[in-house]
Amino acid sequence: AQSVTQLDSQVPVFEEAPVELRCNYSSSVSVYLFWYVQYPNQGLQLLLKYLSGSTLVKGINGFEAEFNKSQTSFHLRKPSVHISDTAEYFCAVSDHNAAGNKLTFGGGTRVLVKP
Amino acid sequence: DAGVTQSPTHLIKTRGQQVTLRCSPKSGHDTVSWYQQALGQGPQFIFQYYEEEERQRGNFPDRFSGHQFPNYSSELNVNALLLGDSALYLCASSLVRLNTGELFFGEGSRLTVL
């Protein structure tokens, strides 16, 4: 079984400041890793994904994440946030060996960007 | 290119009633998954359909059932509704041969059970 822990439920941050959202996972097998964003009253949109290769992954809207296998982490960062980045962010994992595309999500981190 | 579409967007039911939610996958996708997102929580996997059959199922009771049609669209049915079934129900589509876990989500159907 897999699990995902997002260590911060809420992160307030000032506009143009950097932000880091922490994600740790637990799995007995190799995984694919994802960050999704959910804007108010909307579905989930893929920000970025790690499937293989370089451990530093760049996504949309200036976000990036680093896969650290030894620490089983996949933290999300943005060097300078905008008001429009106010949203909920979900880390998710998918098992390489599982049949089909099934995701296990963390509980989410709510980012509030203040002017 | 149409993305994932879900209907209805909002609905209100009372305890004990039944509800059917509908989903059309992104064009070209053949697999549909359903997730339940309770308020303030991450999405939880309900089940997945491929080739009109339930392929995987999460830890949800039999009150939750589904169907996939030949055109790949899908329905989620919930019987004997409980207050705790109030949630955002998300449909996600994917292509089975791209077994990487990447999903495309609809905007969800928000169910309120009174």
Side-chain angles (χ1 to χ4, degrees):
Chain A
Q2 302 163 318
S3 65
V4 178
T5 302
Q6 293 183 240
L7 298 161
D8 306 294
S9 59
Q10 292 189 66
V11 173
V13 57
F14 286 105
E15 194 173 16
E16 298 183 9
V19 70
E20 178 179 81
L21 308 184
R22 296 179 293 169
C23 172
N24 286 89
Y25 68 92
S26 172
S27 177
S28 57
V29 298
S30 296
V31 295
Y32 299 123
L33 294 153
F34 304 85
W35 277 98
Y36 282 84
V37 60
Q38 186 175 36
Y39 298 104
N41 300 313
Q42 293 189 24
L44 277 69
Q45 178 184 359
L46 181 67
L47 269 181
L48 49 77
K49 60 187 176 186
Y50 172 78
L51 304 181
S52 64
S54 172
T55 57
L56 183 62
V57 180
K58 295 191 183 296
I60 63 171
N61 301 339
F63 284 92
E64 63 179 33
E66 186 153 20
F67 170 53
N68 188 319
K69 188 175 182 179
S70 63
Q71 297 187 6
T72 60
S73 68
F74 191 54
H75 300 333
L76 180 71
R77 302 183 184 96
K78 185 169 182 177
S80 175
V81 296
H82 302 128
I83 295 289
S84 58
D85 293 321
T86 293
E88 186 133 26
Y89 294 79
F90 293 96
C91 182
V93 302
S94 175
D95 181 351
H96 276 206
N97 298 327
N101 297 318
K102 174 188 169 186
L103 294 180
T104 300
F105 286 88
T109 298
R110 187 173 298 275
V111 172
L112 176 59
V113 181
K114 303 177 180 179
Chain B
D1 179 22
V4 179
T5 57
Q6 294 187 241
S7 63
T9 54
H10 295 83
L11 68 168
I12 299 173
K13 294 284 187 179
T14 56
R15 280 178 296 176
Q17 285 190 311
Q18 179 264 345
V19 68
T20 297
L21 308 178
R22 296 176 177 81
C23 171
S24 292
K26 179 179 168 64
S27 179
H29 283 185
D30 54 14
T31 303
V32 172
S33 303
W34 287 92
Y35 287 79
Q36 180 196 66
Q37 186 180 16
L39 198 61
Q41 297 183 24
Q44 302 255 327
F45 176 75
I46 303 175
F47 44 52
Q48 181 185 88
Y49 277 84
Y50 171 66
E51 292 189 330
E52 302 179 46
E53 292 196 356
E54 185 181 288
R55 193 177 186 200
Q56 296 188 77
R57 189 179 182 92
N59 189 24
F60 280 79
D62 292 344
R63 298 186 297 110
F64 289 77
S65 63
H67 190 77
Q68 186 180 34
F69 300 94
N71 67 352
Y72 306 116
S73 67
S74 177
E75 288 182 350
L76 164 65
N77 300 291
V78 187
N79 294 322
L81 285 167
L82 304 173
L83 294 179
D85 295 332
S86 294
L88 180 67
Y89 288 85
L90 295 164
C91 172
S93 72
S94 57
L95 199 54
V96 72
R97 63 180 173 83
L98 299 179
N99 191 24
T100 59
E102 181 175 353
L103 302 179
F104 290 79
F105 284 85
E107 296 199 346
S109 294
R110 185 166 296 282
L111 170 65
T112 301
V113 182
L114 302 177

